[in-house]
Amino acid sequence: MALVLHASNTNKNSLKTLITAEYVGVQVKLADKFEMGITNKSPEFIKMNPIGKVPVLETPDGPLFESNAIARYVARLKGDGSLYGSSLYEYAQTEQWIDFASLEVDQNISGWYYPRIGFHVYLPPAEEACISALKRSFDALNTHLALHTYLVGHDVTLADIILTCNLYFGFTKVLTKSFTSEFPHVERYFWTMVNQPNFKKVLGEVKQSETVPPVQSKKPAPTKEPKIKEAPKKEVKKEVAKPKPKEPEVAEEEQAPKPKPKNPLDLLPPSKMVLDDWKRLYSNTKTNFREVAIKGFWDMYDPEGYSLWFCDYKYNEENTVSFVTLNKVTGFLQRMDLVRKYAFGKMLIIGGQPPYKVKGLWLFRGPEIPQFVLDECYDMELYDWRKVDLSDGEQKERVNAMIEDQEPFDGEPLLDAKCFK
C-alpha cells in the first residue's frame, strides 16, 4: 500500500520525501486533486495538521507533518539505515547537516525570496541581513565541499537530499549565476546532485534563475479603530443659569496648533547658489559636459552657503555581490530623501570584479553636514566623511571626475554611478 503525501509536486518540501522514497524503494503517492490554499484549509486536512501547513504524510499509524520529520520516517522504513551513513558518528553528521540545511540555508533563501514576491513585508535591511547570512553559510559549505563529494561519507545521505531540495528552491527562484559563481564547490555539488538518477526522476530538468524577482511589496493592513458605543444621554432638567463671564481670547490662542518649526538650514543667510538651477543644468546637459555642466557648477558654487564632502564606504570588503552592492547604495539614497531640498550627491560603484568600492561626493547646504541627517539616516555612519579642500587642485579635479562619472575612476572601471538630485 502506497503512502499518501498531501502536497503539490512543485513544493520543495514534498520533493524531499519523493526523492527519499526513490532511494529506499518505498512507494509514495501524491494525493489526488490537491490544491494549495483550498485543500489544506479543508476540515479533513486540518484534522491531520491543525495549522494547515504542507506536506502531510498519511501512514498506517496516522498522519505526520513537518517535511524533515516525514523524510526521516521514509528514510528509515526499510530498516537498513543506508541514508544515515555507516556509523554513529556519520548518523550525527547527517543530522548536523540537516539542521544546517534548514536553519542556515533554507531560512535565509526564504527570507530573501518571499518578501520580494509579496508574501511578507519587504524591508531592505532585513533582505541585506538574509543575503549576508546566506553568503556566510555558503562560504562554510564551499569550504567543506572543496574536500568532499557528499556531505557525509562517500555516498548520498538524507542530508544531501534535504540540502539539495533547499538549494533547488534557491537556484530556481533567486540564486542567479552572479551569486553562486562565488561558490564553485557549492555549484559543482548542486549540479552533481540534481543529475543523479533518483533526483532527476523527481526534479526533471533544472534551470537556474536568470534574475532576482522584482519587489512586490506587501503593505501592512490598516488597523481599524474600534467603534465606541455611546451611552444613552440622560435627560437633564433645564436650570436658569447665570451668564458666565466671557473667557479671555488668549485661551483660544493657546489651544491652536503650534506652527511647525523651520528646518535649521532655512534659517541660514541667503546663498547666491540656487540648488534647483544646478540640478536642472546637470539633468539637461547631454554634450560637452565639462564645458557646460562642470563650468556651470563652479560658476554657481557658493563656498559660504554650501560645502562639498567626499565619502568612502567603510566595509568595501563585504561588497562581493554586484546587485547586493547596488541595492545597498540605492537604499542609502532612498533614506536620504529627507535632505533632498538641501543636497546633491553622486555615488560611484567602482571595480570590474568584487569586492566593489563605493565612493561618493555630496553637496550640502551650510558649512557642515546637517545634524538632522546624521541623526536620522543610519547609513551616514557606514561611511568615512572628508570635507573637500578646494585649495587642493587634485581634490577639485576629483570633484569634477565624480560629477562627470569619469571612467576609469582611480584606475578602475565603473560598475555603476547613481545621482541624488
Side-chain angles (χ1 to χ4, degrees):
M1 173 182 156
L3 301 169
V4 178
L5 186 67
H6 294 263
S8 69
N9 60 355
T10 58
N11 183 298
K12 69 113 165 66
N13 288 326
S14 66
L15 299 177
K16 300 173 187 177
T17 298
L18 296 174
I19 294 170
T20 301
E22 292 294 330
Y23 271 94
V24 297
V26 171
Q27 189 179 1
V28 174
K29 176 189 172 186
L30 288 169
D32 294 331
K33 298 179 181 178
F34 180 90
E35 289 185 66
M36 188 64 188
I38 298 175
T39 306
N40 60 309
K41 293 183 178 180
S42 67
E44 295 79 12
F45 191 94
I46 297 300
K47 284 181 182 178
M48 295 189 292
N49 184 355
I51 59 175
K53 291 175 69 175
V54 297
V56 167
L57 183 71
E58 281 191 79
T59 79
D61 300 309
L64 286 172
F65 55 85
E66 294 299 338
S67 61
N68 288 351
I70 296 170
R72 287 182 174 104
Y73 171 85
V74 173
R76 292 190 175 101
L77 280 176
K78 286 295 184 179
D80 60 1
S82 59
L83 289 179
Y84 270 92
S86 57
S87 67
L88 183 60
Y89 178 66
E90 288 190 354
Y91 168 86
Q93 283 185 305
T94 302
E95 289 292 339
Q96 162 194 287
W97 286 110
I98 289 174
D99 286 349
F100 178 92
S102 302
L103 300 175
E104 303 295 339
V105 176
D106 187 46
Q107 184 170 292
N108 290 311
I109 291 173
S110 298
W112 182 0
Y113 175 68
Y114 285 124
R116 282 190 160 262
I117 62 169
F119 277 24
H120 305 300
V121 176
Y122 176 77
L123 299 170
E127 178 180 79
E128 289 177 19
C130 284
I131 294 172
S132 177
L134 190 61
K135 285 175 56 183
R136 184 172 62 248
S137 303
F138 271 40
D139 270 331
L141 189 57
N142 198 63
T143 300
H144 179 75
L145 292 172
L147 301 173
H148 301 84
T149 302
Y150 304 104
L151 291 175
V152 180
H154 302 289
D155 210 342
V156 173
T157 63
L158 186 61
D160 294 300
I161 295 171
I162 290 175
L163 175 62
T164 301
C165 288
N166 292 343
L167 290 176
Y168 169 80
F169 175 64
F171 270 69
T172 57
K173 300 296 184 184
V174 74
L175 300 181
T176 61
K177 181 68 177 176
S178 63
F179 182 94
T180 60
S181 61
E182 296 183 44
F183 311 100
H185 301 298
V186 176
E187 281 191 326
R188 183 265 307 158
Y189 169 82
F190 175 74
W191 293 114
T192 298
M193 295 305 300
V194 297
N195 283 293
Q196 297 283 320
N198 288 330
F199 279 83
K200 199 161 188 176
K201 185 174 180 180
V202 174
L203 300 177
E205 292 296 327
V206 179
K207 185 179 179 183
Q208 187 168 8
S209 176
E210 295 180 356
T211 58
V212 177
V215 176
Q216 300 175 25
S217 185
K218 177 181 179 181
K219 295 181 180 178
T223 54
K224 293 183 179 179
E225 293 185 7
K227 292 184 178 180
I228 300 172
K229 191 175 181 180
E230 293 184 3
K233 293 181 180 179
K234 291 183 179 179
E235 225 178 280
V236 181
K237 290 182 180 179
K238 291 185 179 179
E239 294 182 5
V240 179
K242 295 180 181 179
K244 292 183 179 179
K246 189 177 179 181
E247 292 184 6
E249 293 183 6
V250 177
E252 288 185 13
E253 292 177 353
E254 289 176 353
Q255 293 174 6
K258 295 181 180 179
K260 188 177 178 180
K262 284 191 174 183
N263 189 297
L265 299 183
D266 291 328
L267 304 177
L268 293 173
S271 171
K272 69 173 187 177
M273 184 176 193
V274 179
L275 189 59
D276 284 343
D277 288 349
W278 156 242
K279 291 180 179 181
R280 195 175 299 111
L281 177 65
Y282 173 89
S283 298
N284 294 337
T285 304
K286 307 301 180 186
T287 58
N288 300 322
F289 198 85
R290 279 266 173 167
E291 294 76 9
V292 179
I294 300 294
K295 182 179 183 303
F297 174 78
W298 293 116
D299 289 343
M300 296 179 188
Y301 183 65
D302 171 19
E304 294 180 1
Y306 285 82
S307 56
L308 283 163
W309 298 80
F310 294 126
C311 67
D312 293 275
Y313 190 64
K314 293 179 181 178
Y315 311 104
N316 284 319
E317 69 279 1
E318 296 178 358
N319 297 332
T320 56
V321 181
S322 59
F323 70 87
V324 176
T325 306
L326 295 172
N327 287 345
K328 189 181 296 181
V329 175
T330 299
F332 172 38
L333 297 183
Q334 289 171 346
R335 289 182 283 277
M336 285 292 277
D337 196 62
L338 76 167
V339 77
R340 190 171 298 277
K341 183 180 172 184
Y342 310 99
F344 171 86
K346 290 302 297 285
M347 297 296 293
L348 306 185
I349 301 91
I350 304 161
Q353 58 185 10
Y356 303 102
K357 302 178 185 68
V358 177
K359 298 177 182 291
L361 169 74
W362 286 83
L363 172 72
F364 290 116
R365 181 75 167 96
E368 300 295 334
I369 298 174
Q371 187 60 44
F372 72 90
V373 180
L374 295 172
D375 293 340
E376 297 182 37
C377 183
Y378 71 81
D379 302 75
M380 298 296 287
E381 64 185 31
L382 303 178
Y383 291 82
D384 287 317
W385 294 88
R386 176 167 57 102
K387 196 170 186 178
V388 176
D389 180 3
L390 295 178
S391 65
D392 184 334
E394 288 186 7
Q395 290 192 37
K396 189 170 181 179
E397 175 53 32
R398 189 175 182 82
V399 171
N400 296 341
M402 297 188 83
I403 294 175
E404 189 186 16
D405 303 339
Q406 180 178 289
E407 189 174 16
F409 187 86
D410 286 348
E412 296 187 78
L414 291 181
L415 177 66
D416 199 0
K418 296 182 181 290
C419 182
F420 177 90
K421 57 182 172 54

